[in-house]
Amino acid sequence: LMPFDIFKNGSRSAAYAVSLCLGTAMFGLFFFLTLFVQQVMGFSPLKAGFAFLPFSAGIMITAGLSSNLVAKTGPRPWMIPGLALASIGMFLFTKLHVGSTYLTGLLPAMMITALGLGCVFVPMTLVALTRIRDDEAGIASGVVNMGQQIGGSIGLASIGTIAWSLFATYSKSHGLASGDHSSLLYKQSLTAGFGRGFLVASGIMLLSLIITIFFVKTRKEDIGHVDAALAG
């Protein structure tokens, strides 16, 4: 069903690879971040939901800016700084500890990550649609979403394995009693495991930055053609 010649364009294939990396890093990040906020920081599910609202707001702000300006600048001036910011933000999550607070620990990392990710989504999608035939535009766009979904499955499986393995090792080496889900040691064990997961996620995001730097060559003139085609 999918024509493989859509992968012949190097920039488009790079955009698909970036999409895969984003899904891998983001799904793993959100899963463990939700657990951290509730089980380590003690937030209720409702409070945890409200705590993530600034993340959505940050993505909306930069996504709106990028969608309005990418045709004038090209995708690289948005994707490269955006992925760099997202990598830094995800790395900052590794600095979270049992005593971290929302305002000084969690919120800065969330906002840096969100502002970075918002810069990426629209330019990445436009790169995936550059120099594509009209009859293949739907497929080319669908592969972007497919990459994020497949990446999410990979992220939860791989990052989850790494995080929970370290949790088990840490808790066993420090003598955590079986069934103890409320002590400081339990929270420290979770933080150690989640921290390793956040580190892997930031590394995957850094990989997407490297892919963009070396393989995304789409120019603003190409983006202009895509916008004109979509408008028509």
Side-chain angles (χ1 to χ4, degrees):
L1 294 177
M2 183 175 66
F4 286 95
D5 59 354
I6 65 174
F7 297 102
K8 290 181 179 180
N9 182 284
S11 293
R12 186 182 308 119
S13 295
Y16 293 149
V18 170
S19 174
L20 182 70
C21 290
L22 287 180
T24 303
M26 287 176 55
F27 276 71
L29 172 74
F30 280 120
F31 178 74
F32 291 110
L33 201 56
T34 303
L35 291 178
F36 179 86
V37 167
Q38 295 187 54
Q39 298 191 27
V40 178
M41 299 183 74
F43 284 25
S44 67
L46 180 61
K47 187 176 180 180
F50 280 109
F52 287 118
L53 287 179
F55 193 96
S56 300
I59 290 180
M60 290 174 60
I61 291 171
T62 49
L65 289 173
S66 65
S67 63
N68 290 327
L69 298 175
V70 66
K72 299 178 180 179
T73 63
R76 286 172 59 87
W78 289 96
M79 292 182 67
I80 292 176
L83 291 170
L85 275 178
S87 301
I88 293 171
M90 288 189 175
F91 179 76
L92 290 178
F93 285 121
T94 67
K95 303 301 181 181
L96 294 174
H97 53 84
V98 174
S100 294
T101 64
Y102 178 75
L103 290 178
T104 61
L106 189 62
L107 186 60
M110 273 203 310
M111 293 308 298
I112 293 174
T113 304
L115 293 174
L117 290 174
C119 293
V120 178
F121 292 122
V122 173
M124 177 185 68
T125 303
L126 290 175
V127 171
L129 294 174
T130 299
R131 299 187 182 281
I132 196 74
R133 298 202 314 264
D134 291 343
D135 61 323
E136 293 180 343
I139 295 174
S141 177
V143 174
V144 176
N145 296 324
M146 182 187 71
Q148 293 181 10
Q149 297 300 317
I150 293 176
S153 301
I154 296 173
L156 287 177
S158 59
I159 298 177
T161 299
I162 294 170
W164 290 116
S165 297
L166 184 60
F167 165 78
T169 301
Y170 187 97
S171 58
K172 182 178 181 180
S173 63
H174 288 77
L176 179 66
S178 177
D180 180 2
H181 295 162
S182 59
S183 68
L184 177 61
L185 180 57
Y186 174 72
K187 294 180 179 180
Q188 290 173 335
S189 300
L190 284 177
T191 302
F194 295 167
R196 183 64 57 84
F198 296 146
L199 181 62
V200 174
S202 68
I204 295 171
M205 193 61 67
L206 183 61
L207 174 61
S208 68
L209 171 61
I210 295 172
I211 293 172
T212 300
I213 292 173
F214 287 101
F215 297 104
V216 174
K217 306 297 184 182
T218 305
R219 302 168 301 173
K220 63 180 181 180
E221 292 83 3
D222 301 320
I223 294 297
H225 294 158
V226 174
D227 283 344
L230 293 177

